[in-house]
Amino acid sequence: MKNLQEIHKIREEKRKELDIRVNTDLKTREKHILVCHGTGCTSSKSIEILENFKKIIKEKQIENVRVIKTGCFGLCAKGPIVIVRPEDTFYANCTPEDCEEIIQTHIIEGKEVQRLLCKDIDGTKVKSLDELNFYKKQERIALKNCGVINPEDIDEYIAFDGYLALEKVLKEMNQEQVIETIKKSGLRGRGGAGFLTGLKWELTKNVEVDQKYVVCNADEGDPGAFMDRSILEGDPHCVIEAMMIAGYSIGANKGYIYVRAEYPIAVKRFQIAINQAKEYGLLGKNILGFDFDFDIEIRLGAGAFVCGEETALLESIEGRRGHPRVKPPFPAQSGLWGKPTLINNVETYANITKIILNGAEWFNQIGTEKSKGTKVFALGGNVNNTGLVEVPMGTTLREIVYDIGGGIPNNREFKAAQTGGPSGGCIPKEHLDTPIDYESLKEIGSMMGSGGLIVMDDTKCMVSLAKFYLDFTVSESCGKCTPCRIGTKRMHEILTKICEGNGTDKDINLLEKLALNVQKSSVCGLGQSAPNPVLSTLKYFKDEYKEHVSYKKCRAKECKDLTQIEIDVNLCKGCSLCQKNCPVNAIEGEGRDVRVINQEKCIKCGTCLTKCPFKAIK
């Protein structure tokens, strides 16, 4: 148990130790080796890298070197990442075998390991993180501590102004002042619809009852999305502190974080953070000596996408199947066990402490008129720099894809970007200069969602893409309402029919009509937004639908039933490599004869295309 003075002492002493993390001009003999321990790098042996560093340093009896596990640095395409401070040297794609060379060359001899320096998209080697184009247009607020602190060390969080916002709130502000600050900041919920955060807090506070709850929605189910996971892995205490501030402002003493069990590292680190906060007296009774009690528990989700919808999430926390509730009443009036409940997602909470410390005006100046602050995106798909990015609202899609993302691999052409996952829509090439904010995305038929951003090049079939997302939605529908349960299945059947070459013009018209009906009549946000990928691809890529039904053609060659693989008799040399590698023995011919593909046996897997050295197969 720590009192306020002890917390201040920890902050003061630890901050001096950790100044090396952010002050690259510091002249010191001490080195900090930061090793990314986010899920992506961990899967690529970053745990072994960290242990190897510690082992070598111990064996060589090297002093003044610390090895630190951190959260995600963001540039996942270059992982595992190792950064040496204070030089800020950025080493990319490291392996456990590289540790010896980094220690000998960099730490002992004082020279950079040239072969491990990160290369930018143009091939030039960069020496520090700030020199990479990937970071130049980013502004890290929610991700401020990710990749800087050890997420399993509460002292490091405290050193970087951790729990200072909570202290300010408890010492200097009443409930109304906290809520007014959040309202003036213009912060909107980062989970999808973008409801004003301060207004939601105010509505929950105004209900007078004996018990209220604060809930963190960490059920991040969009394919390709990992924003909330990375924040929990890299900076769990910022979410705990923000939930406490929310609890103080609405009059709640209990919080729950609902996180999917598929996030074991995030769950582990958040539980460690809870335990440390309790040990320091930052959770529990009379926090920091003030008349304020608050505690947090973790609730694990089983992976149901529908539980990302706030009322279905509440049902799951209460121990029932995740079915959305009819609204109203809204959770602010009747949530967990019928009590007023405040629900925000991880990224929303990750902004709270910064707003309290820096002021509403500071946050209000970032972003656009109606979309304030920054947004974190999980950038994936056909883009060179895949990873986690945080940019001011209003940054254009072109800037994210080309300036930060480094463009499309193999110099292929940009075709579309999917925002908002299965609930979002496709943004075509003509809207590349669209500012990324709530209103602009809505105008062109997409949505912000939680922040998944999938880039697609010209090899992608948009009809097949719509089918892919409908396949996901059908399997994840809770089945409560008929429009979603039945309507999404019928849409998926029509899309399957079109992709198999059996579609007609009537099917396209029926698909659009059905999508609009499902959108208007489904009970919850999952069903209402499920048709978005269909409607947006019909709006911007209707010519591809027409090609599928009228000419039985898929220009991207993704729909296997509409493609045929043939061998050019003028180019075939009879080498038999294609025949030997065909998994279904669909290629016929003997000796040096020209080979022929049996179309009835061919499964169009494409193996022969990759194996032919003479490019004879088309």
Side-chain angles (χ1 to χ4, degrees):
M1 187 78 70
K2 307 287 184 184
N3 59 37
L4 200 55
Q5 288 70 32
E6 288 173 319
I7 296 292
H8 285 173
K9 187 175 181 181
I10 290 170
R11 182 176 294 116
E12 185 179 344
E13 291 179 354
K14 198 72 176 178
R15 186 177 285 168
K16 292 177 182 177
E17 293 178 22
L18 303 186
D19 190 28
I20 193 173
R21 303 275 177 87
V22 292
N23 186 359
T24 55
D25 294 325
L26 202 65
K27 304 300 181 184
T28 175
R29 289 181 61 243
E30 187 172 65
K31 308 288 184 187
H32 286 193
I33 300 175
L34 310 182
V35 183
C36 176
H37 259 46
T39 293
C41 286
T42 299
S43 67
S44 300
K45 300 184 178 181
S46 68
I47 296 176
E48 293 180 36
I49 292 172
L50 183 130
E51 294 304 321
N52 269 11
F53 274 131
K54 289 182 177 179
K55 179 183 175 184
I56 295 166
I57 288 169
K58 185 177 180 180
E59 288 175 350
K60 292 180 181 289
Q61 298 181 340
I62 303 172
E63 297 180 349
N64 298 319
V65 177
R66 302 189 194 188
V67 184
I68 314 294
K69 73 164 68 169
T70 72
C72 181
F73 290 108
L75 188 49
C76 302
K78 301 295 185 180
I81 293 170
V82 172
I83 293 180
V84 182
R85 294 273 166 86
E87 300 93 321
D88 198 30
T89 306
F90 192 109
Y91 292 127
N93 303 120
C94 297
T95 67
E97 292 73 31
D98 295 325
C99 298
E100 181 76 44
E101 186 176 359
I102 292 173
I103 293 295
Q104 180 61 40
T105 304
H106 190 128
I107 303 300
I108 297 176
E109 299 175 13
K111 297 181 291 186
E112 293 159 342
V113 182
Q114 290 294 318
R115 68 178 186 85
L116 292 176
L117 288 175
C118 186
K119 290 183 180 179
D120 220 329
I121 294 302
D122 60 4
T124 57
K125 290 183 178 180
V126 296
K127 295 182 179 181
S128 69
L129 181 146
D130 290 335
E131 292 179 25
L132 281 165
N133 286 316
F134 179 80
Y135 294 102
K136 286 182 179 178
K137 290 195 174 183
Q138 293 194 49
E139 186 166 352
R140 292 165 79 91
I141 296 176
L143 300 177
K144 182 181 178 182
N145 288 337
C146 292
V148 177
I149 67 171
N150 179 352
E152 297 180 14
D153 186 344
I154 188 173
D155 288 354
E156 292 207 359
Y157 178 72
I158 290 172
F160 287 98
D161 296 336
Y163 294 104
L164 199 58
L166 176 66
E167 180 187 336
K168 179 180 179 180
V169 163
L170 295 179
K171 285 177 70 173
E172 304 173 13
M173 305 172 76
N174 58 32
Q175 293 172 297
E176 290 77 14
Q177 288 173 322
V178 176
I179 291 173
E180 190 61 27
T181 299
I182 302 303
K183 286 174 67 176
K184 285 183 177 179
S185 73
L187 175 66
R188 297 171 65 170
R190 299 301 197 243
F195 191 80
L196 285 167
T197 303
L199 180 57
K200 182 184 281 191
W201 288 27
E202 185 177 55
L203 291 171
T204 314
K205 177 197 171 293
N206 289 342
V207 182
E208 296 185 6
V209 293
D210 59 341
Q211 180 66 57
K212 296 179 184 179
Y213 297 100
V214 173
V215 171
C216 177
N217 182 353
D219 189 68
E220 187 176 47
D222 290 6
F226 52 95
M227 301 77 58
D228 291 352
R229 184 192 73 196
S230 295
I231 293 172
L232 292 179
E233 290 177 354
D235 194 13
H237 284 282
C238 81
V239 178
I240 292 175
E241 185 179 5
M243 290 178 69
M244 295 169 72
I245 292 170
Y248 170 80
S249 67
I250 69 167
N253 61 10
K254 184 69 175 181
Y256 292 92
I257 179 168
Y258 186 87
V259 56
R260 48 183 49 220
E262 293 99 321
Y263 287 178
I265 297 176
V267 172
K268 176 188 173 185
R269 289 186 183 160
F270 201 82
Q271 188 60 63
I272 289 172
I274 288 175
N275 295 342
Q276 290 175 338
K278 286 182 178 179
E279 182 184 340
Y280 274 40
L282 293 163
L283 281 175
K285 301 285 186 181
N286 299 316
I287 294 169
L288 294 177
F290 295 94
D291 184 22
F292 173 58
D293 304 339
F294 197 81
D295 202 1
I296 296 175
E297 288 184 30
I298 297 175
R299 288 289 185 270
L300 298 182
F305 181 64
V306 72
C307 286
E309 197 278 335
E310 59 183 15
T311 60
L313 180 152
L314 296 178
E315 289 285 302
S316 184
I317 291 178
E318 291 179 12
R320 291 187 291 275
R321 185 175 179 181
H323 275 172
R325 300 173 181 175
V326 176
K327 293 183 286 189
F330 293 94
Q333 287 79 44
S334 178
L336 271 179
W337 297 288
K339 302 294 184 179
T341 303
L342 173 67
I343 308 174
N344 288 121
N345 81 327
V346 172
E347 187 185 342
T348 309
Y349 284 123
N351 284 282
I352 297 298
T353 58
K354 288 81 172 179
I355 292 171
I356 296 296
L357 291 176
N358 297 303
E361 293 74 17
W362 162 79
F363 191 81
N364 201 269
Q365 292 173 4
I366 305 168
T368 65
E369 182 181 354
K370 294 183 179 180
S371 298
K372 302 298 183 181
T374 59
K375 182 72 189 78
V376 181
F377 290 98
L379 184 62
N382 302 124
V383 63
N384 284 305
N385 289 335
T386 56
L388 206 63
V389 305
E390 184 174 3
V391 294
M393 291 279 196
T395 302
T396 66
L397 181 60
R398 185 185 299 276
E399 289 176 289
I400 295 175
V401 173
Y402 287 96
D403 296 342
I404 297 173
I408 315 297
N410 303 316
N411 293 317
R412 296 205 71 95
E413 187 178 345
F414 172 90
K415 186 171 188 177
Q418 175 84 6
T419 62
S423 304
C426 288
I427 304 173
K429 186 177 182 179
E430 56 262 36
H431 290 299
L432 255 176
D433 293 306
T434 298
I436 302 296
D437 58 54
Y438 292 99
E439 284 70 34
S440 299
L441 290 179
K442 188 176 180 180
E443 283 178 14
I444 60 174
S446 189
M447 65 183 292
M448 186 79 71
S450 59
L453 203 166
I454 308 298
V455 180
M456 290 162 281
D457 63 19
D458 54 3
T459 65
K460 299 298 177 235
C461 170
M462 305 314 289
V463 185
S464 180
L465 178 84
K467 177 175 169 287
F468 166 79
Y469 280 117
L470 257 294
D471 183 60
F472 178 85
T473 308
V474 167
S475 65
E476 293 293 339
S477 173
C478 74
K480 182 174 182 176
C481 71
T482 303
C484 180
R485 182 181 70 249
I486 304 299
T488 54
K489 285 184 180 178
R490 298 292 89 86
M491 283 194 288
H492 185 264
E493 288 170 0
I494 294 171
L495 287 165
T496 300
K497 184 180 177 183
I498 293 172
C499 288
E500 290 177 348
N502 300 316
T504 65
D505 285 329
K506 288 183 179 180
D507 289 318
I508 298 177
N509 296 330
L510 179 61
L511 179 65
E512 187 168 15
K513 184 178 179 181
L514 185 56
L516 291 170
N517 283 332
V518 171
Q519 187 181 63
K520 293 175 183 176
S521 54
S522 293
V523 168
C524 80
L526 185 147
Q528 293 162 10
S529 59
N532 285 349
V534 175
L535 292 170
S536 63
T537 52
L538 279 170
K539 180 178 180 179
Y540 296 115
F541 300 97
K542 201 163 190 175
D543 55 335
E544 290 196 30
Y545 282 85
K546 291 284 188 181
E547 286 178 359
H548 278 65
V549 301
S550 299
Y551 304 107
K552 311 303 177 188
K553 175 185 175 183
C554 174
R555 66 174 68 173
K557 300 179 177 62
E558 274 199 311
C559 300
K560 292 183 179 180
D561 291 298
L562 300 183
T563 61
Q564 184 166 303
I565 300 175
E566 296 179 342
I567 298 175
D568 188 330
V569 296
N570 295 316
L571 296 177
C572 179
K573 307 299 182 183
C575 70
S576 76
L577 269 177
C578 59
Q579 190 174 22
K580 291 174 182 176
N581 286 281
C582 179
V584 293
N585 299 316
I587 301 177
E588 301 170 350
E590 296 179 359
R592 303 296 294 182
D593 294 343
V594 171
R595 285 346 189 229
V596 177
I597 298 175
N598 185 326
Q599 297 298 334
E600 292 183 2
K601 288 185 178 181
C602 180
I603 60 172
K604 304 179 178 99
C605 65
T607 302
C608 55
L609 287 164
T610 62
K611 295 298 181 181
C612 179
F614 306 106
K615 309 297 181 186
I617 305 177
K618 309 293 182 183

